[in-house]
Amino acid sequence: MHTQVLIVGAGPVGLTMAAELARYGVSVRIVDKAPQRTDKSKALVLWSRTLELLERGPGSARFIAAGFKAQAVNFIAGDKLIGRVDMGAVDTPFPFGLMIPQADTERLLEEYLAELGVTVERGVEVTDFSCELDGVTATLLQSDGSDDLVSAEWLIGCDGAHSLVRHTVGAPFTGETMPSDWMLADVHMRGYPCPDSEASVYWHKDGAFVIFPISPGRYRLIADLPPSGEAHPPTPTLEQVQAVIQRRGPPGMTAHDPIWLAGFRINGRKVSNYRWGRAFLVGDAAHVHSPAGGQGMNTGMQDAFNLAWKLALVVGGECRETLLDSYSLERSFVGDQVLKSAQRLTVVGTLKNPVARTVRNAVGHVMLGLASVKHAFADTMTQVSVGYPAGPLNGVEIHGDGYTAGERYRPALEGAPSGIRATPHFQLFASSDIIANALPAPLARLVESRIGPDLGDRLYLVRPDGYLACSTRCIDDVSAYLNQIAPPQAPAA
Ligand SMILES: Cc1cc2nc3c(=O)[nH]c(=O)nc-3n(C[C@H](O)[C@H](O)[C@H](O)COP(=O)(O)OP(=O)(O)OC[C@H]3O[C@@H](n4cnc5c(N)ncnc54)[C@H](O)[C@@H]3O)c2cc1C
């Protein structure tokens, strides 16, 4: 009953984590207390950056085949179009939001995991665990009521907003719950006046009303409602949904045949430390926030992409354990930004004061008329601008050549290593592989050489997750960088 990594929770984040580790050759067990995968649509969108990262493992094609491409978001107040953000110009092979119900995302990830030989153990709950210096021991409650003890080198809490892992390590989950109730309605609808490939955000004096296309004729509607005062936000009826449509939306829309109706409240909460010794917090276990912008699941999956290659290198003895500390620093920084922007979008969309609304509409119209603002908005939403500008893994850089350490390295997307690989590799872009061959053997093992004939004397070292580690004209800088993360070498005899 030993495994290198025990993953608690098989939601989209746990499945991503397991798939990445398994394709890197790490032995994993992944357990989930629920007897079945969710059948709910929950998170609806895979953004461009997540698709880029999925491309390296399962490939994006299977997700794209099951989804529907949304190209733009309209912001509307009354009968006036305040602005339109188009994702078509985002510099990515996937310039769209891929609308795909969370249930399908999970199904496809689980199918990929099965291709890698890993089965999710369902109906198995982690009820307790303890961390020692060199490993973790966890108690698994099986569906027949029996307990098993499992030992692991590392434990990863992908166990959602009410995380047992977070409670057990005692990580404070600081933030607040918004004082409003929200309705979610996945419905069929007639009369949507925009193309089906576009989402719309209606800023109404009663509050926000958002329409996301799921597939032609099928939509997700979200709106804030006055606080009900009840312990749990009430589930809306179809009649209540229709009343919101008529009051806040454009005329002539009729909802019918609801697929999923739910009430929810918005929490904005986050831990500040994502690593607790041998345990990690990933996804909703580490951060929850407003669904505005649809960033939650994508941020969680990208936490997993960030941690997986580091853990694989450490488990394989290729890198020193301190590499793992960078996970918390990098992803907590991103989590803070996502929380702030989701909160800002929510507050802006739910303004009630008439003067504030008038100002918002006027400023919004001017700002969303500027190409630079629209580009920045689209880059943020699609998460291609996520990076680690002050990250602990950033090495030296050539100033002014267009790439900054910690930034997503765009050229690494083309022909990036993909599929099943035993060890994650850094990519070294250089004009010839003679340069990469100059690295000492223990460091060369970490690197895969990529030839860019137009690079001249420049060298770009790119992390396994596609972010620039360092740029330089001197291979010694690359050696120095890798030496910092590689295990100390035994002195020559
Ligand atoms: C109504 C609703 C609408 C949403 N809409 C959006 C959206 O539009 N966009 C977006 O990005 N996000 C949205 N989200 C949020 C999104 O669903 C989450 O961000 C995402 O599911 C987080 O994934 P996760 O894997 O971290 O956690 P979860 O999906 O919560 O998965 C955690 C898993 O851990 C398991 N588990 C928990 N405790 C244990 C234990 N002790 N032992 C074993 N297993 C355990 C659970 O059974 C569960 O399967 C929505 C959520 C809800 C509820």
Side-chain angles (χ1 to χ4, degrees), residues 8-14 31-34 42-44 102 124-126 158-160 164 184 220 260 282-284 291 294-298:
V8 188
V13 174
V31 301
D32 198 297
K33 66 180 178 185
K42 292 208 246 169
L44 264 190
Q102 185 170 324
V124 179
E125 179 174 0
V126 173
C158 302
D159 50 343
L164 167 109
L184 177 154
R220 166 162 301 173
W260 184 35
V282 185
D284 273 21
Q295 305 284 298
M297 182 185 72
N298 287 266

PDB file of all heavy atoms in Angstrom, residues 8-14 31-34 42-44 102 124-126 158-160 164 184 220 260 282-284 291 294-298, ligand 1:
ATOM      1  N   VAL A   8      -5.848  13.329  -3.513  1.00  0.00           N
ATOM      2  CA  VAL A   8      -7.151  13.288  -2.853  1.00  0.00           C
ATOM      3  C   VAL A   8      -8.113  14.132  -3.682  1.00  0.00           C
ATOM      4  O   VAL A   8      -7.977  15.349  -3.755  1.00  0.00           O
ATOM      5  CB  VAL A   8      -7.067  13.852  -1.419  1.00  0.00           C
ATOM      6  CG1 VAL A   8      -8.379  13.615  -0.686  1.00  0.00           C
ATOM      7  CG2 VAL A   8      -5.898  13.260  -0.671  1.00  0.00           C
ATOM      8  N   GLY A   9      -9.080  13.477  -4.331  1.00  0.00           N
ATOM      9  CA  GLY A   9     -10.069  14.211  -5.122  1.00  0.00           C
ATOM     10  C   GLY A   9      -9.835  14.028  -6.612  1.00  0.00           C
ATOM     11  O   GLY A   9      -8.722  14.242  -7.104  1.00  0.00           O
ATOM     12  N   ALA A  10     -10.891  13.612  -7.303  1.00  0.00           N
ATOM     13  CA  ALA A  10     -10.796  13.385  -8.752  1.00  0.00           C
ATOM     14  C   ALA A  10     -11.755  14.298  -9.493  1.00  0.00           C
ATOM     15  O   ALA A  10     -12.487  13.883 -10.386  1.00  0.00           O
ATOM     16  CB  ALA A  10     -11.061  11.922  -9.078  1.00  0.00           C
ATOM     17  N   GLY A  11     -11.778  15.576  -9.094  1.00  0.00           N
ATOM     18  CA  GLY A  11     -12.453  16.596  -9.893  1.00  0.00           C
ATOM     19  C   GLY A  11     -11.523  16.935 -11.064  1.00  0.00           C
ATOM     20  O   GLY A  11     -10.528  16.234 -11.308  1.00  0.00           O
ATOM     21  N   PRO A  12     -11.797  18.009 -11.778  1.00  0.00           N
ATOM     22  CA  PRO A  12     -10.964  18.337 -12.940  1.00  0.00           C
ATOM     23  C   PRO A  12      -9.502  18.568 -12.563  1.00  0.00           C
ATOM     24  O   PRO A  12      -8.591  18.263 -13.342  1.00  0.00           O
ATOM     25  CB  PRO A  12     -11.604  19.624 -13.489  1.00  0.00           C
ATOM     26  CG  PRO A  12     -12.458  20.154 -12.381  1.00  0.00           C
ATOM     27  CD  PRO A  12     -12.886  18.983 -11.577  1.00  0.00           C
ATOM     28  N   VAL A  13      -9.286  19.084 -11.352  1.00  0.00           N
ATOM     29  CA  VAL A  13      -7.910  19.418 -10.958  1.00  0.00           C
ATOM     30  C   VAL A  13      -7.144  18.150 -10.556  1.00  0.00           C
ATOM     31  O   VAL A  13      -6.001  17.932 -11.001  1.00  0.00           O
ATOM     32  CB  VAL A  13      -7.937  20.468  -9.823  1.00  0.00           C
ATOM     33  CG1 VAL A  13      -6.540  20.722  -9.286  1.00  0.00           C
ATOM     34  CG2 VAL A  13      -8.554  21.764 -10.353  1.00  0.00           C
ATOM     35  N   GLY A  14      -7.766  17.292  -9.760  1.00  0.00           N
ATOM     36  CA  GLY A  14      -7.114  16.038  -9.382  1.00  0.00           C
ATOM     37  C   GLY A  14      -6.821  15.179 -10.598  1.00  0.00           C
ATOM     38  O   GLY A  14      -5.754  14.561 -10.697  1.00  0.00           O
ATOM     39  N   VAL A  31      -7.930   9.032  -5.446  1.00  0.00           N
ATOM     40  CA  VAL A  31      -9.161   8.538  -4.822  1.00  0.00           C
ATOM     41  C   VAL A  31     -10.190   9.659  -4.757  1.00  0.00           C
ATOM     42  O   VAL A  31      -9.843  10.840  -4.695  1.00  0.00           O
ATOM     43  CB  VAL A  31      -8.888   8.007  -3.388  1.00  0.00           C
ATOM     44  CG1 VAL A  31      -7.870   6.883  -3.411  1.00  0.00           C
ATOM     45  CG2 VAL A  31      -8.434   9.123  -2.448  1.00  0.00           C
ATOM     46  N   ASP A  32     -11.460   9.270  -4.797  1.00  0.00           N
ATOM     47  CA  ASP A  32     -12.532  10.260  -4.657  1.00  0.00           C
ATOM     48  C   ASP A  32     -13.657   9.644  -3.837  1.00  0.00           C
ATOM     49  O   ASP A  32     -14.066   8.504  -4.086  1.00  0.00           O
ATOM     50  CB  ASP A  32     -13.060  10.712  -6.022  1.00  0.00           C
ATOM     51  CG  ASP A  32     -13.819  12.019  -5.912  1.00  0.00           C
ATOM     52  OD1 ASP A  32     -14.864  12.060  -5.220  1.00  0.00           O
ATOM     53  OD2 ASP A  32     -13.346  13.020  -6.484  1.00  0.00           O
ATOM     54  N   LYS A  33     -14.158  10.419  -2.892  1.00  0.00           N
ATOM     55  CA  LYS A  33     -15.193   9.860  -2.010  1.00  0.00           C
ATOM     56  C   LYS A  33     -16.532   9.691  -2.731  1.00  0.00           C
ATOM     57  O   LYS A  33     -17.360   8.882  -2.323  1.00  0.00           O
ATOM     58  CB  LYS A  33     -15.347  10.727  -0.760  1.00  0.00           C
ATOM     59  CG  LYS A  33     -15.888  12.114  -1.002  1.00  0.00           C
ATOM     60  CD  LYS A  33     -15.982  12.863   0.314  1.00  0.00           C
ATOM     61  CE  LYS A  33     -16.483  14.277   0.107  1.00  0.00           C
ATOM     62  NZ  LYS A  33     -16.481  15.068   1.337  1.00  0.00           N
ATOM     63  N   ALA A  34     -16.734  10.455  -3.806  1.00  0.00           N
ATOM     64  CA  ALA A  34     -18.006  10.320  -4.532  1.00  0.00           C
ATOM     65  C   ALA A  34     -18.003   9.007  -5.311  1.00  0.00           C
ATOM     66  O   ALA A  34     -16.996   8.657  -5.924  1.00  0.00           O
ATOM     67  CB  ALA A  34     -18.186  11.497  -5.482  1.00  0.00           C
ATOM     68  N   LYS A  42     -21.306  22.551 -14.248  1.00  0.00           N
ATOM     69  CA  LYS A  42     -20.442  23.437 -13.438  1.00  0.00           C
ATOM     70  C   LYS A  42     -19.547  24.347 -14.283  1.00  0.00           C
ATOM     71  O   LYS A  42     -20.035  25.188 -15.011  1.00  0.00           O
ATOM     72  CB  LYS A  42     -19.618  22.593 -12.474  1.00  0.00           C
ATOM     73  CG  LYS A  42     -20.465  21.921 -11.396  1.00  0.00           C
ATOM     74  CD  LYS A  42     -19.670  21.697 -10.154  1.00  0.00           C
ATOM     75  CE  LYS A  42     -19.407  20.319  -9.755  1.00  0.00           C
ATOM     76  NZ  LYS A  42     -18.474  20.051  -8.733  1.00  0.00           N
ATOM     77  N   ALA A  43     -18.218  24.176 -14.223  1.00  0.00           N
ATOM     78  CA  ALA A  43     -17.346  25.073 -15.005  1.00  0.00           C
ATOM     79  C   ALA A  43     -17.500  24.747 -16.481  1.00  0.00           C
ATOM     80  O   ALA A  43     -17.318  23.614 -16.897  1.00  0.00           O
ATOM     81  CB  ALA A  43     -15.897  24.894 -14.580  1.00  0.00           C
ATOM     82  N   LEU A  44     -17.786  25.794 -17.240  1.00  0.00           N
ATOM     83  CA  LEU A  44     -18.198  25.584 -18.638  1.00  0.00           C
ATOM     84  C   LEU A  44     -17.133  25.855 -19.665  1.00  0.00           C
ATOM     85  O   LEU A  44     -17.314  25.531 -20.825  1.00  0.00           O
ATOM     86  CB  LEU A  44     -19.337  26.568 -18.951  1.00  0.00           C
ATOM     87  CG  LEU A  44     -20.754  26.107 -18.839  1.00  0.00           C
ATOM     88  CD1 LEU A  44     -21.663  27.159 -19.441  1.00  0.00           C
ATOM     89  CD2 LEU A  44     -20.938  24.784 -19.557  1.00  0.00           C
ATOM     90  N   GLN A 102     -18.257  20.793 -17.476  1.00  0.00           N
ATOM     91  CA  GLN A 102     -17.227  20.196 -16.616  1.00  0.00           C
ATOM     92  C   GLN A 102     -17.316  18.673 -16.615  1.00  0.00           C
ATOM     93  O   GLN A 102     -16.306  17.976 -16.554  1.00  0.00           O
ATOM     94  CB  GLN A 102     -17.367  20.749 -15.195  1.00  0.00           C
ATOM     95  CG  GLN A 102     -16.283  20.280 -14.252  1.00  0.00           C
ATOM     96  CD  GLN A 102     -16.293  21.022 -12.933  1.00  0.00           C
ATOM     97  OE1 GLN A 102     -16.583  22.218 -12.899  1.00  0.00           O
ATOM     98  NE2 GLN A 102     -15.984  20.355 -11.844  1.00  0.00           N
ATOM     99  N   VAL A 124     -13.964   6.140  -2.272  1.00  0.00           N
ATOM    100  CA  VAL A 124     -12.864   5.991  -1.299  1.00  0.00           C
ATOM    101  C   VAL A 124     -12.548   7.378  -0.735  1.00  0.00           C
ATOM    102  O   VAL A 124     -12.158   8.284  -1.471  1.00  0.00           O
ATOM    103  CB  VAL A 124     -11.600   5.401  -1.974  1.00  0.00           C
ATOM    104  CG1 VAL A 124     -10.466   5.284  -0.963  1.00  0.00           C
ATOM    105  CG2 VAL A 124     -11.917   4.048  -2.599  1.00  0.00           C
ATOM    106  N   GLU A 125     -12.743   7.509   0.577  1.00  0.00           N
ATOM    107  CA  GLU A 125     -12.580   8.826   1.211  1.00  0.00           C
ATOM    108  C   GLU A 125     -11.316   8.854   2.063  1.00  0.00           C
ATOM    109  O   GLU A 125     -11.080   7.930   2.852  1.00  0.00           O
ATOM    110  CB  GLU A 125     -13.807   9.104   2.090  1.00  0.00           C
ATOM    111  CG  GLU A 125     -13.710  10.432   2.804  1.00  0.00           C
ATOM    112  CD  GLU A 125     -14.984  10.781   3.574  1.00  0.00           C
ATOM    113  OE1 GLU A 125     -15.942   9.961   3.542  1.00  0.00           O
ATOM    114  OE2 GLU A 125     -15.007  11.845   4.208  1.00  0.00           O
ATOM    115  N   VAL A 126     -10.537   9.893   1.909  1.00  0.00           N
ATOM    116  CA  VAL A 126      -9.417  10.103   2.834  1.00  0.00           C
ATOM    117  C   VAL A 126     -10.007  10.747   4.078  1.00  0.00           C
ATOM    118  O   VAL A 126     -10.607  11.825   4.005  1.00  0.00           O
ATOM    119  CB  VAL A 126      -8.325  10.989   2.199  1.00  0.00           C
ATOM    120  CG1 VAL A 126      -7.253  11.334   3.221  1.00  0.00           C
ATOM    121  CG2 VAL A 126      -7.711  10.295   0.996  1.00  0.00           C
ATOM    122  N   CYS A 158      -6.571  17.809  -3.794  1.00  0.00           N
ATOM    123  CA  CYS A 158      -7.375  18.376  -4.894  1.00  0.00           C
ATOM    124  C   CYS A 158      -8.827  18.146  -4.498  1.00  0.00           C
ATOM    125  O   CYS A 158      -9.649  17.742  -5.331  1.00  0.00           O
ATOM    126  CB  CYS A 158      -7.074  17.671  -6.207  1.00  0.00           C
ATOM    127  SG  CYS A 158      -5.358  17.739  -6.699  1.00  0.00           S
ATOM    128  N   ASP A 159      -9.118  18.352  -3.221  1.00  0.00           N
ATOM    129  CA  ASP A 159     -10.400  17.903  -2.678  1.00  0.00           C
ATOM    130  C   ASP A 159     -11.396  19.042  -2.505  1.00  0.00           C
ATOM    131  O   ASP A 159     -12.289  18.964  -1.661  1.00  0.00           O
ATOM    132  CB  ASP A 159     -10.193  17.109  -1.386  1.00  0.00           C
ATOM    133  CG  ASP A 159      -9.300  17.803  -0.377  1.00  0.00           C
ATOM    134  OD1 ASP A 159      -8.579  18.743  -0.771  1.00  0.00           O
ATOM    135  OD2 ASP A 159      -9.312  17.420   0.794  1.00  0.00           O
ATOM    136  N   GLY A 160     -11.257  20.078  -3.325  1.00  0.00           N
ATOM    137  CA  GLY A 160     -12.315  21.067  -3.462  1.00  0.00           C
ATOM    138  C   GLY A 160     -12.417  22.060  -2.314  1.00  0.00           C
ATOM    139  O   GLY A 160     -11.595  22.102  -1.387  1.00  0.00           O
ATOM    140  N   LEU A 164     -10.545  18.561   3.082  1.00  0.00           N
ATOM    141  CA  LEU A 164     -10.068  17.926   4.314  1.00  0.00           C
ATOM    142  C   LEU A 164      -8.560  18.155   4.461  1.00  0.00           C
ATOM    143  O   LEU A 164      -8.060  18.363   5.570  1.00  0.00           O
ATOM    144  CB  LEU A 164     -10.339  16.411   4.256  1.00  0.00           C
ATOM    145  CG  LEU A 164      -9.612  15.631   5.344  1.00  0.00           C
ATOM    146  CD1 LEU A 164     -10.601  15.127   6.386  1.00  0.00           C
ATOM    147  CD2 LEU A 164      -8.777  14.498   4.793  1.00  0.00           C
ATOM    148  N   LEU A 184     -28.260  30.135 -11.022  1.00  0.00           N
ATOM    149  CA  LEU A 184     -27.612  29.543 -12.192  1.00  0.00           C
ATOM    150  C   LEU A 184     -28.670  28.713 -12.907  1.00  0.00           C
ATOM    151  O   LEU A 184     -29.372  27.926 -12.265  1.00  0.00           O
ATOM    152  CB  LEU A 184     -26.448  28.668 -11.734  1.00  0.00           C
ATOM    153  CG  LEU A 184     -25.671  27.885 -12.796  1.00  0.00           C
ATOM    154  CD1 LEU A 184     -24.255  27.631 -12.310  1.00  0.00           C
ATOM    155  CD2 LEU A 184     -26.321  26.569 -13.149  1.00  0.00           C
ATOM    156  N   ARG A 220     -26.136  28.935 -20.529  1.00  0.00           N
ATOM    157  CA  ARG A 220     -26.085  29.114 -19.072  1.00  0.00           C
ATOM    158  C   ARG A 220     -26.431  30.556 -18.759  1.00  0.00           C
ATOM    159  O   ARG A 220     -25.850  31.485 -19.321  1.00  0.00           O
ATOM    160  CB  ARG A 220     -24.700  28.824 -18.522  1.00  0.00           C
ATOM    161  CG  ARG A 220     -24.593  29.364 -17.082  1.00  0.00           C
ATOM    162  CD  ARG A 220     -23.480  28.789 -16.307  1.00  0.00           C
ATOM    163  NE  ARG A 220     -23.616  27.336 -16.230  1.00  0.00           N
ATOM    164  CZ  ARG A 220     -22.670  26.566 -15.696  1.00  0.00           C
ATOM    165  NH1 ARG A 220     -21.570  27.109 -15.216  1.00  0.00           N
ATOM    166  NH2 ARG A 220     -22.839  25.262 -15.645  1.00  0.00           N
ATOM    167  N   TRP A 260     -30.312  22.248 -15.677  1.00  0.00           N
ATOM    168  CA  TRP A 260     -29.791  22.324 -14.304  1.00  0.00           C
ATOM    169  C   TRP A 260     -30.131  23.699 -13.752  1.00  0.00           C
ATOM    170  O   TRP A 260     -29.761  24.718 -14.361  1.00  0.00           O
ATOM    171  CB  TRP A 260     -28.267  22.114 -14.321  1.00  0.00           C
ATOM    172  CG  TRP A 260     -27.623  22.077 -12.973  1.00  0.00           C
ATOM    173  CD1 TRP A 260     -28.143  21.567 -11.832  1.00  0.00           C
ATOM    174  CD2 TRP A 260     -26.319  22.568 -12.619  1.00  0.00           C
ATOM    175  NE1 TRP A 260     -27.257  21.689 -10.797  1.00  0.00           N
ATOM    176  CE2 TRP A 260     -26.127  22.296 -11.254  1.00  0.00           C
ATOM    177  CE3 TRP A 260     -25.289  23.201 -13.331  1.00  0.00           C
ATOM    178  CZ2 TRP A 260     -24.947  22.632 -10.568  1.00  0.00           C
ATOM    179  CZ3 TRP A 260     -24.123  23.530 -12.663  1.00  0.00           C
ATOM    180  CH2 TRP A 260     -23.954  23.251 -11.301  1.00  0.00           C
ATOM    181  N   VAL A 282      -4.187  22.294  -4.081  1.00  0.00           N
ATOM    182  CA  VAL A 282      -4.276  22.583  -5.513  1.00  0.00           C
ATOM    183  C   VAL A 282      -5.752  22.805  -5.870  1.00  0.00           C
ATOM    184  O   VAL A 282      -6.629  22.087  -5.379  1.00  0.00           O
ATOM    185  CB  VAL A 282      -3.719  21.383  -6.330  1.00  0.00           C
ATOM    186  CG1 VAL A 282      -3.689  21.703  -7.816  1.00  0.00           C
ATOM    187  CG2 VAL A 282      -2.313  21.010  -5.864  1.00  0.00           C
ATOM    188  N   GLY A 283      -6.030  23.777  -6.730  1.00  0.00           N
ATOM    189  CA  GLY A 283      -7.401  23.993  -7.200  1.00  0.00           C
ATOM    190  C   GLY A 283      -8.274  24.632  -6.131  1.00  0.00           C
ATOM    191  O   GLY A 283      -7.812  25.450  -5.315  1.00  0.00           O
ATOM    192  N   ASP A 284      -9.559  24.264  -6.128  1.00  0.00           N
ATOM    193  CA  ASP A 284     -10.504  24.881  -5.184  1.00  0.00           C
ATOM    194  C   ASP A 284     -10.093  24.659  -3.732  1.00  0.00           C
ATOM    195  O   ASP A 284     -10.546  25.390  -2.853  1.00  0.00           O
ATOM    196  CB  ASP A 284     -11.916  24.308  -5.394  1.00  0.00           C
ATOM    197  CG  ASP A 284     -12.694  25.064  -6.476  1.00  0.00           C
ATOM    198  OD1 ASP A 284     -12.041  25.731  -7.302  1.00  0.00           O
ATOM    199  OD2 ASP A 284     -13.940  24.984  -6.490  1.00  0.00           O
ATOM    200  N   PRO A 291     -17.562  33.330 -10.034  1.00  0.00           N
ATOM    201  CA  PRO A 291     -17.428  32.699 -11.352  1.00  0.00           C
ATOM    202  C   PRO A 291     -17.233  33.718 -12.481  1.00  0.00           C
ATOM    203  O   PRO A 291     -17.036  33.309 -13.628  1.00  0.00           O
ATOM    204  CB  PRO A 291     -18.755  31.952 -11.518  1.00  0.00           C
ATOM    205  CG  PRO A 291     -19.724  32.649 -10.638  1.00  0.00           C
ATOM    206  CD  PRO A 291     -18.923  33.219  -9.497  1.00  0.00           C
ATOM    207  N   GLY A 294     -15.096  33.057 -15.479  1.00  0.00           N
ATOM    208  CA  GLY A 294     -14.913  31.609 -15.647  1.00  0.00           C
ATOM    209  C   GLY A 294     -13.478  31.150 -15.437  1.00  0.00           C
ATOM    210  O   GLY A 294     -12.942  30.346 -16.197  1.00  0.00           O
ATOM    211  N   GLN A 295     -12.835  31.655 -14.375  1.00  0.00           N
ATOM    212  CA  GLN A 295     -11.406  31.391 -14.205  1.00  0.00           C
ATOM    213  C   GLN A 295     -11.089  30.243 -13.239  1.00  0.00           C
ATOM    214  O   GLN A 295      -9.981  29.721 -13.220  1.00  0.00           O
ATOM    215  CB  GLN A 295     -10.713  32.664 -13.664  1.00  0.00           C
ATOM    216  CG  GLN A 295     -10.951  33.894 -14.515  1.00  0.00           C
ATOM    217  CD  GLN A 295     -10.132  33.894 -15.795  1.00  0.00           C
ATOM    218  OE1 GLN A 295      -8.924  33.891 -15.748  1.00  0.00           O
ATOM    219  NE2 GLN A 295     -10.807  33.864 -16.937  1.00  0.00           N
ATOM    220  N   GLY A 296     -12.066  29.844 -12.413  1.00  0.00           N
ATOM    221  CA  GLY A 296     -11.784  28.953 -11.274  1.00  0.00           C
ATOM    222  C   GLY A 296     -11.155  27.632 -11.662  1.00  0.00           C
ATOM    223  O   GLY A 296     -10.058  27.287 -11.206  1.00  0.00           O
ATOM    224  N   MET A 297     -11.839  26.868 -12.469  1.00  0.00           N
ATOM    225  CA  MET A 297     -11.335  25.540 -12.822  1.00  0.00           C
ATOM    226  C   MET A 297     -10.029  25.651 -13.620  1.00  0.00           C
ATOM    227  O   MET A 297      -9.101  24.870 -13.420  1.00  0.00           O
ATOM    228  CB  MET A 297     -12.387  24.799 -13.635  1.00  0.00           C
ATOM    229  CG  MET A 297     -11.970  23.414 -14.008  1.00  0.00           C
ATOM    230  SD  MET A 297     -13.173  22.621 -15.077  1.00  0.00           S
ATOM    231  CE  MET A 297     -12.929  23.492 -16.610  1.00  0.00           C
ATOM    232  N   ASN A 298      -9.974  26.611 -14.528  1.00  0.00           N
ATOM    233  CA  ASN A 298      -8.760  26.787 -15.332  1.00  0.00           C
ATOM    234  C   ASN A 298      -7.561  27.114 -14.450  1.00  0.00           C
ATOM    235  O   ASN A 298      -6.470  26.591 -14.652  1.00  0.00           O
ATOM    236  CB  ASN A 298      -8.971  27.920 -16.351  1.00  0.00           C
ATOM    237  CG  ASN A 298      -9.903  27.506 -17.479  1.00  0.00           C
ATOM    238  OD1 ASN A 298      -9.471  27.071 -18.513  1.00  0.00           O
ATOM    239  ND2 ASN A 298     -11.207  27.623 -17.243  1.00  0.00           N
TER     240      ASN A 298
HETATM  241  C1  LIG B   1     -22.704  25.785  -9.529  1.00  0.00           C
HETATM  242  C2  LIG B   1     -21.282  25.944  -9.931  1.00  0.00           C
HETATM  243  C3  LIG B   1     -20.946  26.624 -11.085  1.00  0.00           C
HETATM  244  C4  LIG B   1     -19.621  26.816 -11.440  1.00  0.00           C
HETATM  245  N1  LIG B   1     -19.333  27.501 -12.583  1.00  0.00           N
HETATM  246  C5  LIG B   1     -18.019  27.691 -12.929  1.00  0.00           C
HETATM  247  C6  LIG B   1     -17.652  28.335 -14.136  1.00  0.00           C
HETATM  248  O1  LIG B   1     -18.494  28.737 -14.924  1.00  0.00           O
HETATM  249  N2  LIG B   1     -16.319  28.494 -14.420  1.00  0.00           N
HETATM  250  C7  LIG B   1     -15.325  28.022 -13.582  1.00  0.00           C
HETATM  251  O2  LIG B   1     -14.115  28.139 -13.882  1.00  0.00           O
HETATM  252  N3  LIG B   1     -15.650  27.420 -12.440  1.00  0.00           N
HETATM  253  C8  LIG B   1     -16.974  27.230 -12.096  1.00  0.00           C
HETATM  254  N4  LIG B   1     -17.276  26.573 -10.977  1.00  0.00           N
HETATM  255  C9  LIG B   1     -16.183  26.168 -10.123  1.00  0.00           C
HETATM  256  C10 LIG B   1     -15.570  24.892 -10.621  1.00  0.00           C
HETATM  257  O3  LIG B   1     -16.576  23.917 -10.671  1.00  0.00           O
HETATM  258  C11 LIG B   1     -14.446  24.540  -9.675  1.00  0.00           C
HETATM  259  O4  LIG B   1     -13.463  25.559  -9.739  1.00  0.00           O
HETATM  260  C12 LIG B   1     -13.801  23.216 -10.034  1.00  0.00           C
HETATM  261  O5  LIG B   1     -14.720  22.155  -9.928  1.00  0.00           O
HETATM  262  C13 LIG B   1     -12.657  22.940  -9.065  1.00  0.00           C
HETATM  263  O6  LIG B   1     -12.126  21.697  -9.327  1.00  0.00           O
HETATM  264  P1  LIG B   1     -11.402  20.876  -8.174  1.00  0.00           P
HETATM  265  O7  LIG B   1     -10.987  19.618  -8.846  1.00  0.00           O
HETATM  266  O8  LIG B   1     -10.387  21.738  -7.512  1.00  0.00           O
HETATM  267  O9  LIG B   1     -12.508  20.605  -7.075  1.00  0.00           O
HETATM  268  P2  LIG B   1     -13.877  19.801  -7.191  1.00  0.00           P
HETATM  269  O10 LIG B   1     -14.418  19.835  -8.563  1.00  0.00           O
HETATM  270  O11 LIG B   1     -14.729  20.301  -6.082  1.00  0.00           O
HETATM  271  O12 LIG B   1     -13.456  18.293  -6.904  1.00  0.00           O
HETATM  272  C14 LIG B   1     -13.065  17.870  -5.624  1.00  0.00           C
HETATM  273  C15 LIG B   1     -13.245  16.370  -5.549  1.00  0.00           C
HETATM  274  O13 LIG B   1     -12.692  15.915  -4.316  1.00  0.00           O
HETATM  275  C16 LIG B   1     -13.523  14.920  -3.776  1.00  0.00           C
HETATM  276  N5  LIG B   1     -13.253  14.882  -2.331  1.00  0.00           N
HETATM  277  C17 LIG B   1     -13.492  15.840  -1.422  1.00  0.00           C
HETATM  278  N6  LIG B   1     -13.064  15.460  -0.208  1.00  0.00           N
HETATM  279  C18 LIG B   1     -12.536  14.220  -0.352  1.00  0.00           C
HETATM  280  C19 LIG B   1     -11.935  13.294   0.548  1.00  0.00           C
HETATM  281  N7  LIG B   1     -11.760  13.585   1.840  1.00  0.00           N
HETATM  282  N8  LIG B   1     -11.529  12.097   0.078  1.00  0.00           N
HETATM  283  C20 LIG B   1     -11.686  11.782  -1.237  1.00  0.00           C
HETATM  284  N9  LIG B   1     -12.256  12.633  -2.133  1.00  0.00           N
HETATM  285  C21 LIG B   1     -12.666  13.836  -1.702  1.00  0.00           C
HETATM  286  C22 LIG B   1     -14.933  15.362  -4.147  1.00  0.00           C
HETATM  287  O14 LIG B   1     -15.828  14.281  -4.164  1.00  0.00           O
HETATM  288  C23 LIG B   1     -14.723  15.954  -5.530  1.00  0.00           C
HETATM  289  O15 LIG B   1     -14.936  15.018  -6.559  1.00  0.00           O
HETATM  290  C24 LIG B   1     -18.598  26.332 -10.613  1.00  0.00           C
HETATM  291  C25 LIG B   1     -18.936  25.609  -9.462  1.00  0.00           C
HETATM  292  C26 LIG B   1     -20.253  25.403  -9.121  1.00  0.00           C
HETATM  293  C27 LIG B   1     -20.588  24.609  -7.882  1.00  0.00           C
END
